[in-house]
Amino acid sequence: MIAPSATVRDGDNTSQTILINAAFLQEIKDSNPNLWLAASELRALCETEHWDADTTSQALIKQFVRALGELRDLIAFQFGLEESYGYLRTVGPTPQLAHASPDFEEVQQQLQLALEQHQRLYLDLCDLVEQSEELQYRGCDRSAVVTFAEQVAHFTRQMTRHERLEAELIEREL
């Protein structure tokens, strides 16, 4: 079922409507268990109270480099699939069916927000990958790794909020 849409204007002032294919978006999410496992492992890595006292800062940051790089690649693939098949863009007037929805404006905003979050999350994750590689290259002490883990934990919370938003959009339409 196609959801209410979000109408946006592109650079040449043409109206663009964004529709969500909820069933397909859910299928895309369900078919990528490696992404959810990588995200879970990264969240666990951020739990500093569980770090072994004997593990060196260099070993910890090396784990972050690996985990973040893997997650970046998986998210790039996931967001690409979602944007290609889960979100549909049409040019022209908004479908009449969409205007019949009582929460049309709210759904418009949420669809636009979800797509904007894809870009923001991916770029934030790329920044974290670069920071982790720099820390690995330069070397760092344990307090720097703890501070970095807090930044990564913040990112994982943002990612969780995004997934909740998409789950709400899917649930609304299924």
Side-chain angles (χ1 to χ4, degrees):
M1 176 180 209
I2 302 292
S5 61
T7 303
V8 295
R9 301 255 175 217
D10 64 16
D12 57 4
N13 215 18
T14 304
S15 177
Q16 183 182 52
T17 301
I18 301 172
L19 305 170
I20 184 173
N21 184 338
F24 205 69
L25 185 58
Q26 185 61 56
E27 185 177 327
I28 292 167
K29 290 183 176 302
D30 292 343
S31 65
N32 197 353
N34 291 338
L35 172 63
W36 314 120
L37 179 61
S40 176
E41 288 174 357
L42 186 60
R43 278 190 294 276
L45 186 55
C46 292
E47 295 175 4
T48 58
E49 65 274 3
H50 297 287
W51 288 357
D52 182 357
D54 296 331
T55 306
T56 65
S57 298
Q58 193 65 19
L60 288 168
I61 204 65
K62 186 176 182 179
Q63 291 174 16
F64 274 107
V65 168
R66 182 204 53 77
L68 288 164
E70 179 182 3
L71 186 63
R72 178 201 52 214
D73 296 344
L74 290 166
I75 279 185
F77 181 67
Q78 179 76 17
F79 287 173
L81 286 175
E82 289 179 7
E83 290 176 21
S84 295
Y85 302 106
Y87 293 91
L88 308 171
R89 290 179 171 84
T90 63
V91 177
T94 305
Q96 291 299 324
L97 181 60
H99 291 292
S101 175
D103 58 353
F104 177 73
E105 292 298 322
E106 178 185 346
V107 173
Q108 284 186 39
Q109 292 170 358
Q110 289 178 331
L111 286 167
Q112 187 63 34
L113 177 62
L115 286 170
E116 289 170 2
Q117 287 175 347
H118 279 187
Q119 183 179 20
R120 193 171 328 120
L121 286 166
Y122 181 73
L123 292 174
D124 288 349
L125 182 55
C126 288
D127 286 343
L128 289 170
V129 169
E130 287 180 25
Q131 288 177 39
S132 68
E133 290 171 345
E134 184 177 332
L135 287 171
Q136 182 180 25
Y137 177 74
R138 280 188 302 128
C140 57
D141 62 9
R142 198 166 188 94
S143 67
V145 180
V146 169
T147 300
F148 182 72
E150 291 168 358
Q151 293 174 337
V152 174
H154 175 73
F155 168 81
T156 63
R157 289 189 297 274
Q158 294 297 97
M159 186 176 157
T160 300
R161 283 187 202 104
H162 168 74
E163 290 304 320
R164 276 193 216 123
L165 172 60
E166 286 187 330
E168 289 170 11
L169 289 167
I170 290 168
E171 184 65 31
R172 180 179 283 146
E173 300 310 314
L174 291 180

